[in-house]
């Protein structure tokens, strides 16, 4: 899971060209899906129009950078009409008031956490008394521009129609792992792509762990062992940019 603060400000790097395409400036929210649909990219050329990175085009979302397969994954607003509509709608979630279904103000959203697929998992809110609470999206009825409607108390928002069919009550429990499994499959595909691209390439500089252990020497071949060492040391993004 990543908070918005962990995403915004990160550089966006293309794996195939080894170029920095800009930095993550803001999130484009799809309120109907309760998810981040894209990231607005600041490439220093706003006079040429805003650029967007669809969340589905992200190859890696690390601590130091966001990676994409190529520069073509970053698109203009005019070439992505669906994303343009979401951008124009202006739903940011952060800053919205939290209102219960019965009309009680709970506070204001100060942060969101998203999973590997961009789905909003929880919202952090500042309560009226100054306290901090976390609301899982299972409690959310509606994400809107200025307000987020949630179920009262700790009760989850009704999940459409399962409650009307008691015999099928066991189905949601069985189906629950499906989303994480899909997320894992997506992450694995991205990981496999990056591995295939890097394997056999030569490092253009020496890469070390934070305590000075050599991961690969300058000119050294990138092998499975090198990739594994880089991942364990948190140097995978650096390795991807050093070929």
């Amino acid at each position: 899971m990543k908070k918005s603060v962990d995403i915004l400000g990160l550089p966006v790097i293309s794996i195939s060209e080894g170029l920095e395409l800009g930095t993550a400036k803001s999130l484009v929210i799809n309120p109907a899906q309760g998810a981040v649909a894209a990231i607005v990219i600041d490439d220093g050329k706003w006079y040429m129009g805003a650029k967007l990175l669809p969340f589905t085009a992200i190859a890696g979302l690390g601590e130091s950078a966001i990676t994409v397969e190529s520069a073509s994954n970053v698109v203009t607003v005019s070439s992505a009409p669906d994303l343009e509509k979401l951008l124009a709608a202006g739903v940011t979630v952060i800053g919205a008031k939290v209102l219960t279904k019965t009309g009680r103000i709970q506070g204001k959203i100060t942060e969101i956490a998203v999973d590997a697929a961009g789905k909003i998992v929880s919202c952090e809110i500042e309560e009226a008394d100054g306290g901090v609470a976390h609301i899982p999206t299972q409690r959310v009825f509606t994400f809107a521009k200025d307000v987020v409607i949630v179920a009262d108390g700790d009760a989850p928002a009704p999940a459409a129609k399962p409650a009307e069919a008691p015999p099928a009550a066991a189905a949601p429990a069985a189906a629950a792992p499906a989303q994480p499994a899909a997320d894992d499959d997506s992450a694995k595909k991205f990981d496999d792509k990056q591995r295939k691209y890097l394997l056999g390439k030569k490092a253009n500089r020496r890469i070390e762990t934070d305590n000075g252990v050599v991961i690969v020497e300058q000119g050294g071949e990138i092998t499975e062992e090198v990739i594994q060492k880089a991942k364990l040391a948190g140097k995978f993004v650096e390795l991807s940019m050093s070929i």
Side-chain angles (χ1 to χ4, degrees):
M1 268 194 320
K2 293 281 186 183
K3 291 184 177 182
S4 69
V5 71
D6 299 324
I7 299 173
L8 302 180
L10 288 179
V12 179
I13 310 296
S14 68
I15 296 173
S16 58
E17 296 97 342
L19 297 174
E20 183 172 330
L21 307 176
T23 56
K25 183 179 181 182
S26 59
L27 305 179
V28 180
I29 304 296
N30 184 325
Q33 295 181 1
V36 177
I39 299 174
V40 178
I41 303 301
D42 182 359
D43 62 355
K45 300 177 181 178
W46 284 96
Y47 55 88
M48 297 179 68
K51 301 293 194 309
L52 300 173
L53 171 60
F55 208 90
T56 54
I58 293 176
L61 186 55
E63 295 180 3
S64 305
I66 299 168
T67 57
V68 295
E69 291 296 334
S70 74
S72 62
N73 292 127
V74 174
V75 300
T76 62
V77 173
S78 59
S79 67
D82 290 342
L83 294 179
E84 182 178 16
K85 290 178 183 177
L86 295 176
L87 190 61
V91 177
T92 61
V93 181
I94 294 176
K97 292 180 180 178
V98 178
L99 184 69
T100 66
K101 190 178 178 183
T102 55
R104 181 171 62 87
I105 293 288
Q106 276 200 285
K108 183 175 70 173
I109 295 177
T110 56
E111 183 57 280
I112 59 173
V114 301
D115 63 17
K119 189 78 173 176
I120 298 174
V121 176
S122 66
C123 300
E124 182 178 297
I125 71 168
E126 180 182 350
E127 298 178 306
D129 61 2
V132 176
H134 293 83
I135 296 179
T137 51
Q138 289 90 333
R139 285 185 56 200
V140 176
F141 284 99
T142 307
F143 286 107
K145 185 174 181 179
D146 300 313
V147 68
V148 171
I149 310 297
V150 301
D152 289 87
D154 295 324
K161 301 183 180 180
E164 298 176 8
Q179 182 61 45
D183 294 344
D184 289 344
D185 287 344
S186 177
K188 187 176 184 303
K189 287 179 182 178
F190 287 140
D191 186 64
D192 288 343
K193 282 183 180 180
Q194 287 177 294
R195 282 175 177 272
K196 288 177 182 178
Y197 175 76
L198 291 173
L199 284 173
K201 298 288 196 306
K202 304 288 185 181
N204 61 21
R205 62 190 178 91
R206 178 173 174 162
I207 298 176
E208 302 176 346
T209 64
D210 291 337
N211 58 5
V213 177
V214 176
I215 295 174
V216 64
E217 293 283 3
Q218 181 176 357
E221 182 178 348
I222 297 175
T223 63
E224 286 283 2
E225 183 181 1
V226 169
I227 290 174
Q228 187 62 24
K229 284 182 179 178
K231 285 197 167 196
L232 290 173
K235 299 289 183 177
F236 188 60
V237 171
E238 185 177 342
L239 179 67
S240 300
M241 296 171 61
S242 304
I243 57 173

